[in-house]
């Protein structure tokens, strides 16, 4: 049994979703990872909704995080209707009724993270509910506590030399301030601060010399490349990933990354379940060092 999966953008196919208990029109989804891959905690895909399309009101028995990749789309929830644009992200907690409506002149695309993985044998853990009011949509404002479950990402937020109060103002909290280490920058998007309990979603960027040594986790990760190229190794198998490519690493899969280009490489990353406060990383180098140290003793 493999503990990882790689999906190439060139081979990507969008298809109508499986038979679900709520109506939809103009909606397609590219499955990146699901239970067929051996995933337990992670369902991940790319959704596409036509400008005149719609996804009927429903609730899920899982947590759903999303990040808008292109276009505009309207999200209806009990609290209101929101116009989401490229760079917006958010959280739909378990059991929250919601519906989607097309908007703009072109199809909208967004990445969705579903935790735990929807199960086909249980109707994909979703249920139709009565229609929600289709109110006039408003833009989100992360400084407004009424839109606390949403945020907005700009590529400039990944530049450690250009951080400012204005950039921080479009983050949901100071915990989403940039994390910088060894040529790697991390921008948190969805975590427990937004109300997530089963997963996280964030942006990662590697400088041209950025490298992460081989390691594994007690949780599952997915990666969607949005800029540049990266050499990724999963359980000893090497893959070069470019824009639109995606991958999944199951719990215990030993993986590593190295920027393969001359410019930055950036990807959307998710984790499920949420990492523990300790022992989230198990680096191969540490255990190699221990074996070498013990071997030096008489």
């Amino acid at each position: 049994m493999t503990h990882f999966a790689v999906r190439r953008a060139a081979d990507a196919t969008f298809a109508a979703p499986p038979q679900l208990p709520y109506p939809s029109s103009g909606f397609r989804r590219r499955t990146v990872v699901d239970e067929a891959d051996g995933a337990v905690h992670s369902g991940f895909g790319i959704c596409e909704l036509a400008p005149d399309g719609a996804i009927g009101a429903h609730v899920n028995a899982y947590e759903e995080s999303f990040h808008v990749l292109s276009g505009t789309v309207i999200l209806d929830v009990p609290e209101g209707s929101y116009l989401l644009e490229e760079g917006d992200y958010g959280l739909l907690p378990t059991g929250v009724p919601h519906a989607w409506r097309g908007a703009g002149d072109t199809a909208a695309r967004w990445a969705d993270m579903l935790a735990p993985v929807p199960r086909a044998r249980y109707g994909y853990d979703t249920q139709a509910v009565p229609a929600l009011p289709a109110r006039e949509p408003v833009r989100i404002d992360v400084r407004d506590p009424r839109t606390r479950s949403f945020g907005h990402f700009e590529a400039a937020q990944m530049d450690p030399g250009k951080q400012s109060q204005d950039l921080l103002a479009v983050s949901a909290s100071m915990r989403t301030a940039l994390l910088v280490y060894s040529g790697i920058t991390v921008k948190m998007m969805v975590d427990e601060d937004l109300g997530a309990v089963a997963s996280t979603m964030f942006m990662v960027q590697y400088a041209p010399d950025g490298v992460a040594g081989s390691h594994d986790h007690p949780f599952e990760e997915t990666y969607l490349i949005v800029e540049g190229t990266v050499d990724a190794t999963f359980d000893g198998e090497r893959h070069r990933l470019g824009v639109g490519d995606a991958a999944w690493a199951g719990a215990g899969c030993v993986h590593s990354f190295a920027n393969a280009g001359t410019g930055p490489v950036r990807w959307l990353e998710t984790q499920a379940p949420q990492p523990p406060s300790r022992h989230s990383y198990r680096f191969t180098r540490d255990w190699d060092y221990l074996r070498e140290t013990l071997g030096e003793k008489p």
Side-chain angles (χ1 to χ4, degrees), residues 1-279:
M1 177 180 175
T2 60
H3 294 89
F4 66 91
V6 175
R7 304 284 188 257
R8 298 293 181 180
D11 302 325
T13 57
F14 284 83
Q19 188 63 40
L20 295 171
Y22 53 85
S24 67
S25 63
F27 175 53
R28 303 188 304 167
R29 187 175 185 271
R30 170 196 172 195
T31 298
V32 173
V33 61
D34 61 12
E35 59 182 348
D37 296 298
V40 175
H41 301 284
S42 306
F44 190 89
I46 310 298
C47 300
E48 182 181 88
L49 187 63
D52 59 350
I55 302 172
H58 60 285
V59 297
N60 300 322
Y62 50 80
E63 185 173 272
E64 179 175 353
S65 299
F66 62 85
H67 173 59
V68 180
L69 300 169
S70 62
T72 58
V73 66
I74 298 169
L75 175 63
D76 297 312
V77 294
E79 292 76 22
S81 297
Y82 302 101
L83 181 66
L84 303 175
E85 301 177 346
E86 181 177 341
D88 290 345
Y89 60 85
L91 171 74
L92 291 164
T94 299
V96 172
H98 60 284
W100 301 84
R101 289 184 278 152
D105 299 323
T106 60
R109 286 191 175 184
W110 67 91
D112 65 4
M113 165 59 170
L114 317 175
V117 65
R119 301 164 296 179
R121 65 189 184 278
Y122 291 114
Y124 296 96
D125 294 298
T126 190
Q127 177 61 49
V129 296
L132 293 163
R135 290 155 290 200
E136 184 67 24
V138 298
R139 284 288 293 138
I140 63 169
D141 182 350
V142 299
R143 294 164 295 184
D144 187 334
R146 293 173 297 179
T147 55
R148 186 65 182 81
S149 295
F150 305 100
H152 182 76
F153 171 83
E154 296 284 350
Q157 293 173 343
M158 303 301 291
D159 187 341
K162 295 183 179 179
Q163 299 304 298
S164 67
Q165 286 297 317
D166 288 340
L167 279 178
L168 289 175
V170 297
S171 299
S173 77
M174 285 301 294
R175 289 195 59 198
T176 64
L178 199 64
L179 172 64
V180 182
Y181 61 100
S182 302
I184 303 171
T185 55
V186 177
K187 178 69 174 178
M188 182 57 68
M189 294 158 65
V190 177
D191 64 0
E192 61 267 30
D193 274 8
L194 261 69
V197 297
S199 62
T200 64
M201 175 181 282
F202 51 97
M203 201 68 71
V204 176
Q205 181 168 295
Y206 280 40
D209 59 349
V211 175
S214 62
H215 61 283
D216 70 293
H217 308 287
F219 47 82
E220 301 172 352
E221 290 188 328
T222 57
Y223 323 89
L224 174 66
I225 312 302
V226 296
E227 179 185 358
T229 56
V230 62
D231 285 330
T233 302
F234 303 101
D235 280 346
E237 188 173 307
R238 181 175 171 178
H239 297 268
R240 176 158 291 185
L241 306 177
V243 174
D245 293 341
W248 168 77
C253 173
V254 177
H255 53 285
S256 63
F257 300 101
N259 190 332
T262 57
V265 59
R266 179 162 46 91
W267 65 79
L268 182 70
E269 184 168 332
T270 70
Q271 299 172 330
Q274 284 191 11
S277 57
R278 297 185 64 194
H279 307 301

